[in-house]
Amino acid sequence: MKLEPAIAGFSYHSPLARSVIQFMDRELLSMVQFDLRTVLEFLGLPLGEASADSVVMLVEKVACILKENENRSLSIDMMIQQLSRDHNQLEHGTEPAPGLRQGIFTLLGLLTMLYKTSHTDPTEFFISQPRNEHVVTNHQELRNAELPIGTLIRFFGRFIPTVFDFGEVEVKNKVAEYDANYVCVSTLNAYLLTTIGRVKIVWSDLLSDHLSFDQYSRTLHLFRFPSFCALNYLHEGGSSFFDWFVSHTCEWILDSDSDVSIMDTRFNSREKLRAANNSMHREVLLSYRLLFGQHKVSRDLFNKRENIQASSEGIMDPLLVRLCGRAENAKSLFQDNSVAEQACYDTETEFPFFGPQLVHLQKYACAGKTRRFVDVWYDRRDPAQWLLVWVVVILGSLSLVLSFFQLLVAIIQTSMTVKG
């Protein structure tokens, strides 16, 4: 099954796209027997051996509806009405069956990689227990399918970070609420987090989980498919499925505490919205370099352990290996000056989306105490202290060596005196 027409021209044969499409293929085929069965039967699309082609056709239809409808009042029920026009299956004003609503909702979550649905209750929209602290509930009534998609999504919470200080509008920058605006490779890397901070890294299929950190369980979730972000970031053939979806739900990526009406001034065109999406995808890609790729010991950690954990049932994203396990610069990977690596990053300019999460992680890492002597060598959170420790160690070692030689000389002299 090839999904590239449905996700805006991503080539199936591209190394970037292959792992993402393989994952989506697997997930979609598993949905045919439950989540999508009602929708396919409703549209008269064949099941059985032809179900793969039917799913691709359904995805293409949904993508076209999102692309062609500029109106942000588009709802799941309106999408179902438009899907049924060619088949005259649903009279205008008739409430769609619960299975139809569930199927479209599930499909939108997979193709944007923002949420997964749960089959807890067929009479409600349920999503799997979110790791994102900004997702405030995991269920709501099916009748909300008649509401605009943006409103439906906002009832769950925020699946991606709020936009901070992006574009021409001045918005309260929440990064300033933290003690420092900079994150540095020396003070924030996977090795420090997993050894000194005793943090467990969990790799997730969901973009919305990226950099979600539970300090009490010491669990950090990272998105395992950076190729999905790279495809969206590098895509030049118009908007991607992600862009189309966010264009209908863009209110929920804004700062709800801000008094500024950003909707009318900043995201009043798809070009501006795409620029915001690009910024977020760029930050996700750069975050792998910050945590792993720019730090040698963290790269070794990924190559020895985390790459196995990051595999999704045999599907491994090759870009994840390059970003986390190799020393090559991100700029050479993407041939883009905006993905330039630095020893320290100003979160206000380099991470307007994920800055607060990174600053919080850095503060946690800096609060940890070194427990093993071998960790002292790699712990360079405080360069002056690190240098002082090793100066003391070296001078102390030299003193011990000199003392040993002095003792040896004294023993030899004493022995010669006794013999004489």
Side-chain angles (χ1 to χ4, degrees):
M1 180 165 62
K2 296 183 180 181
L3 293 177
E4 70 276 17
I7 53 176
F10 298 160
S11 172
Y12 184 80
H13 300 289
S14 166
L16 280 179
R18 191 172 299 122
S19 60
V20 176
I21 294 178
Q22 285 176 348
F23 169 76
M24 288 191 176
D25 281 352
R26 186 188 70 194
E27 295 295 304
L28 285 168
L29 286 176
S30 68
M31 293 176 181
V32 170
Q33 297 303 318
F34 187 83
D35 300 271
L36 300 181
R37 187 179 187 87
T38 303
V39 181
L40 296 175
E41 290 177 343
F42 171 75
L43 298 178
L45 298 175
L47 298 172
E49 295 181 357
S51 60
D53 293 333
S54 298
V55 171
V56 171
M57 189 178 300
L58 172 62
V59 172
E60 290 176 346
K61 287 177 177 290
V62 170
C64 287
I65 291 174
L66 285 173
K67 183 178 181 180
E68 293 171 359
N69 285 268
E70 298 284 347
N71 189 350
R72 292 192 178 100
S73 64
L74 182 70
S75 66
I76 288 180
D77 282 0
M78 290 173 63
M79 294 178 69
I80 294 172
Q81 288 282 355
Q82 293 190 42
L83 285 171
S84 68
R85 284 177 182 173
D86 296 336
H87 305 276
N88 296 318
Q89 296 286 353
L90 190 67
E91 295 182 3
H92 182 72
T94 303
E95 183 175 296
L100 293 176
R101 290 171 162 176
Q102 295 275 15
I104 298 300
F105 180 69
T106 299
L107 188 61
L108 293 175
L110 173 64
L111 295 178
T112 56
M113 304 191 86
L114 290 177
Y115 60 85
K116 281 187 176 181
T117 54
S118 172
H119 307 312
T120 306
D121 187 344
T123 64
E124 288 189 300
F125 287 126
F126 262 88
I127 59 174
S128 299
Q129 191 62 38
R131 284 107 177 197
N132 188 333
E133 63 179 356
H134 298 296
V135 178
V136 295
T137 183
N138 66 339
H139 66 96
Q140 57 181 290
E141 298 177 346
L142 275 182
R143 66 180 181 181
N144 288 345
E146 64 189 25
L147 301 176
I149 296 175
T151 303
L152 175 68
I153 294 298
R154 281 199 306 277
F155 282 165
F156 285 105
R158 291 205 311 263
F159 287 104
I160 61 177
T162 302
V163 176
F164 300 114
D165 197 24
F166 187 89
E168 300 174 356
V169 179
E170 294 184 2
V171 182
K172 180 183 177 183
N173 188 351
K174 290 190 174 180
V175 179
E177 296 175 4
Y178 295 85
D179 294 337
N181 289 340
Y182 285 84
V183 289
C184 301
V185 176
S186 60
T187 53
L188 178 60
N189 57 69
Y191 180 82
L192 282 179
L193 289 171
T194 55
T195 54
I196 297 175
R198 292 182 293 171
V199 171
K200 178 183 179 182
I201 296 177
V202 176
W203 297 91
S204 172
D205 296 335
L206 299 179
L207 175 59
S208 56
D209 285 344
H210 189 63
L211 291 177
S212 295
F213 178 54
D214 185 346
Q215 187 167 332
Y216 297 101
S217 64
R218 297 194 298 274
T219 303
L220 174 65
H221 291 88
L222 298 177
F223 184 44
R224 61 161 49 99
F225 290 111
S227 288
F228 178 78
C229 295
L231 287 167
N232 282 280
Y233 178 67
L234 300 175
H235 185 55
E236 298 178 352
S239 298
S240 65
F241 190 98
F242 189 92
D243 293 325
W244 300 334
F245 179 78
V246 173
S247 72
H248 290 278
T249 62
C250 57
E251 297 97 331
W252 55 268
I253 66 173
L254 304 178
D255 187 352
S256 59
D257 297 331
S258 173
D259 295 328
V260 181
S261 179
I262 312 177
M263 174 58 63
D264 296 332
T265 57
R266 190 194 299 183
F267 294 138
N268 55 2
S269 71
R270 295 207 173 201
E271 290 74 18
K272 292 183 179 180
L273 181 64
R274 176 158 175 72
N277 288 339
N278 277 353
S279 177
M280 186 198 70
H281 292 306
R282 180 193 63 82
E283 290 179 39
V284 174
L285 298 172
L286 200 54
S287 66
Y288 298 107
R289 299 298 298 169
L290 170 64
L291 293 175
F292 289 98
Q294 293 183 245
H295 190 250
K296 183 182 183 305
V297 186
S298 296
R299 291 196 301 270
D300 295 339
L301 172 70
F302 178 85
N303 291 325
K304 292 177 181 178
R305 186 182 71 190
E306 294 301 329
N307 63 338
I308 300 173
Q309 304 296 327
S311 174
S312 175
E313 298 182 19
I315 301 176
M316 184 67 190
D317 191 336
L319 182 58
L320 185 66
V321 176
R322 296 185 68 182
L323 288 171
C324 298
R326 297 184 186 177
E328 59 185 316
N329 195 291
K331 181 179 177 180
S332 64
L333 280 173
F334 302 105
Q335 298 180 348
D336 190 332
N337 292 329
S338 64
V339 195
E341 295 178 4
Q342 304 172 36
C344 289
Y345 296 91
D346 183 350
T347 55
E348 293 189 30
T349 57
E350 299 299 325
F351 289 99
F353 280 87
F354 290 98
Q357 291 93 319
L358 292 173
V359 170
H360 179 60
L361 276 174
Q362 180 172 258
K363 291 178 67 176
Y364 178 84
C366 289
K369 302 296 183 182
T370 304
R371 297 184 303 278
R372 300 183 303 170
F373 181 76
V374 68
D375 294 334
V376 176
W377 174 252
Y378 299 112
D379 182 7
R380 305 189 184 186
R381 293 173 292 177
D382 187 338
Q385 183 180 1
W386 178 85
L387 182 61
L388 178 62
V389 167
W390 285 104
V391 167
V392 172
V393 169
I394 292 172
L395 292 178
S397 300
L398 289 175
S399 299
L400 288 174
V401 171
L402 290 174
S403 298
F404 174 77
F405 279 114
Q406 287 177 346
L407 178 62
L408 185 62
V409 169
I411 292 174
I412 294 174
Q413 287 177 341
T414 304
S415 177
M416 291 178 65
T417 301
V418 171
K419 289 181 179 180

